[in-house]
Amino acid sequence: MSGSDTTPAERISRRDAVSNWITCALAVIAIIAQPFTPEMRAGIAWTLPYALRVSIVVAVVLLICLLAYYRVKRRRRSAQDASVEAEPALEIRRIQYNIDDKTQKNVPEGDQVLGRHLHLLEYDRPSKELMVFLPGLGLDAEDFEDYMRQSRFHCIGLTMFGFNPEERTDPNYQPISLEAHMQVVLYALGRIRNTYPHKELTVCGFSIGADQFLLAPEVKSGALRQLEIRHTVLLDPNVNTSTMLLSGRLAHIDGGKGVLELNMLTETETNEENFHFLSGYKSRICLKNLDHLQRFAEDIVGAWDCETSETFLKRLHDLHREVGKVTVVMSSSYRGLCDNLAKHAGTDADIVYEQLNHFKLLRPELMERYLNP
């Protein structure tokens, strides 16, 4: 900790410690140089041997030092207790937003979201920085919890509509279109901004969550600009059909057949790294509503139905016009794309490459590196 980080209580404690140790040193000198009057010294010399006199002096010095030490320690502990009491504690909250009539009017006809719940996980800290997270396909707010638990910032994670496990079999939560999902996300972001109007807002999307920020200007132009977002971090967004490993397969599942249908994610996979990657993903989504997964995947594949990177670069440019700084972090799956994208993105975004697989981009230490203001 640097000197500028010390609290007033700590500085007072240090000053008292220095003062006490100087006092002790002066007392030792006084005892050695002139401990007693001449008459007392003569009496002691007549009654006590030299070794006993030395022992008394040493005992007195040790006693003074011990008293000074405990005095400093007590003051320091009191200062620390006062500091802890003054700092607001971390609050963890699970929040439900009831989707309003205005949002219902904005979604395509046939999509029903009015009165349904959107689930959020909040780690509230006394920080001027607010981080909001959008998860990948079939994932939820808990996938960011490792970072949120150890972050020093105020954090909120969203679970996408219909992907809360408790609503898996609820008939009121039928699959909705990608555009409807986007309108619900914009509604949630607006409520968060209204709740914390003075905080510096950073948004972070993982995989499909990152795609939604790229698609937002097409769905509702200017909506992100109104949120006054300081920084947008995109972790492994899609670029074109070559990056649709998960979505491309999930778009063809039959949710009615149950979780066994998820075996198709790995049954034809011959690449060992991809096999482990897809096996881990299956365990994350098996408790979710598979009809929601299939519909969302089908729509997102349609949104990225292109072979080149031009659509991605245009969407990145449009996003940059509505938000502040944009950072795109790409995993090992993008090895052949990253350099070319970075070259053509220009000033629209910082595009960086990490030699890690898709899910490892959620490591807290990596997220901390790119989310740090």
Side-chain angles (χ1 to χ4, degrees):
M1 181 178 290
S2 64
S4 61
D5 292 331
T6 58
T7 64
E10 289 174 334
R11 290 195 290 271
I12 291 172
S13 179
R14 292 179 183 177
R15 188 164 61 245
D16 287 347
V18 172
S19 175
N20 283 318
W21 286 113
I22 292 174
T23 301
C24 291
L26 292 174
V28 172
I29 294 172
I31 290 171
I32 295 174
Q34 190 69 16
F36 305 105
T37 64
E39 292 80 5
M40 292 176 66
R41 288 202 306 275
I44 292 173
W46 181 72
T47 58
L48 297 174
Y50 176 77
L52 184 56
R53 283 184 287 159
V54 173
S55 298
I56 292 173
V57 171
V58 171
V60 171
V61 171
L62 290 176
L63 180 60
I64 293 172
C65 293
L66 190 62
L67 291 173
Y69 168 76
Y70 279 108
R71 182 184 177 192
V72 172
K73 186 175 181 180
R74 187 170 59 254
R75 288 193 176 188
R76 185 171 296 169
R77 184 178 299 167
S78 298
Q80 290 174 345
D81 291 343
S83 176
V84 170
E85 290 175 2
E87 182 178 343
L90 164 68
E91 293 186 31
I92 303 174
R93 291 187 284 266
R94 293 188 179 275
I95 304 169
Q96 290 184 0
Y97 285 169
N98 292 323
I99 302 174
D100 62 9
D101 182 64
K102 182 179 179 181
T103 304
Q104 176 63 56
K105 292 177 180 177
N106 289 333
V107 305
E109 185 177 356
D111 290 327
Q112 297 299 319
V113 297
L114 177 62
R116 277 70 166 181
H117 295 148
L118 192 65
H119 297 264
L120 302 89
L121 176 62
E122 181 174 24
Y123 276 64
D124 190 354
R125 292 181 177 88
S127 166
K128 69 175 183 178
E129 302 286 344
L130 172 59
M131 310 288 171
V132 178
F133 302 95
L134 282 187
L137 180 59
L139 304 180
D140 49 50
E142 280 73 13
D143 287 276
F144 297 102
E145 197 165 13
D146 285 345
Y147 171 78
M148 294 195 292
R149 188 181 295 114
Q150 70 177 51
S151 174
R152 64 184 186 277
F153 305 124
H154 184 176
C155 298
I156 300 176
L158 277 71
T159 295
M160 299 300 300
F161 178 90
F163 289 111
N164 187 52
E166 285 75 15
E167 296 156 356
R168 176 183 178 183
T169 58
D170 191 331
N172 291 313
Y173 289 82
Q174 295 299 314
I176 59 176
S177 65
L178 176 60
E179 183 178 346
H181 276 291
M182 292 294 311
Q183 292 289 354
V184 170
V185 167
L186 291 172
Y187 157 74
L189 292 174
R191 283 197 58 172
I192 292 171
R193 171 45 90 193
N194 290 336
T195 304
Y196 302 105
H198 303 299
K199 294 209 170 190
E200 296 287 341
L201 180 60
T202 292
V203 294
C204 175
F206 173 65
S207 190
I208 303 300
D211 288 359
Q212 292 183 76
F213 288 117
L214 286 166
L215 294 168
E218 297 178 17
V219 173
K220 192 174 183 180
S221 178
L224 295 180
R225 184 180 296 111
Q226 294 176 2
L227 298 173
E228 298 180 338
I229 298 171
R230 183 189 62 83
H231 187 193
T232 301
V233 179
L234 309 178
L235 303 176
D236 252 12
N238 280 300
V239 175
N240 52 40
T241 53
S242 71
T243 63
M244 309 291 290
L245 175 63
L246 290 176
S247 303
R249 298 184 184 188
L250 288 171
H252 297 97
I253 66 171
D254 182 352
K257 293 183 179 179
V259 295
L260 292 179
E261 184 75 354
L262 296 179
N263 288 333
M264 57 86 65
L265 289 174
T266 54
E267 61 187 6
T268 60
E269 185 56 60
T270 57
N271 181 282
E272 183 177 356
E273 182 180 8
N274 284 344
F275 180 83
H276 288 296
F277 161 65
L278 292 169
S279 297
Y281 180 65
K282 281 199 302 183
S283 68
R284 294 169 183 248
I285 64 173
C286 63
L287 296 179
K288 305 298 175 69
N289 185 312
L290 299 187
D291 289 326
H292 274 282
L293 276 168
Q294 188 278 327
R295 174 67 186 277
F296 204 147
E298 183 179 39
D299 285 359
I300 206 73
V301 167
W304 293 106
D305 187 17
C306 51
E307 299 293 334
T308 66
S309 304
E310 277 122 10
T311 299
F312 171 82
L313 291 169
K314 180 184 182 303
R315 287 171 173 165
L316 191 62
H317 176 73
D318 293 342
L319 175 65
H320 177 64
R321 292 175 59 187
E322 294 204 11
V323 302
K325 177 182 177 183
V326 179
T327 301
V328 182
V329 185
M330 296 185 163
S331 69
S332 55
S333 303
Y334 292 73
R335 187 179 294 112
L337 287 171
C338 191
D339 289 342
N340 184 58
L341 290 175
K343 177 181 177 182
H344 290 92
T347 60
D348 289 337
D350 294 328
I351 299 182
V352 295
Y353 172 75
E354 292 284 346
Q355 187 60 41
L356 297 169
N357 74 34
H358 186 62
F359 282 115
K360 288 183 179 179
L361 294 185
L362 293 175
R363 285 180 173 178
E365 61 273 16
L366 184 137
M367 293 181 65
E368 176 70 19
R369 188 189 316 160
Y370 293 109
L371 290 171
N372 220 359

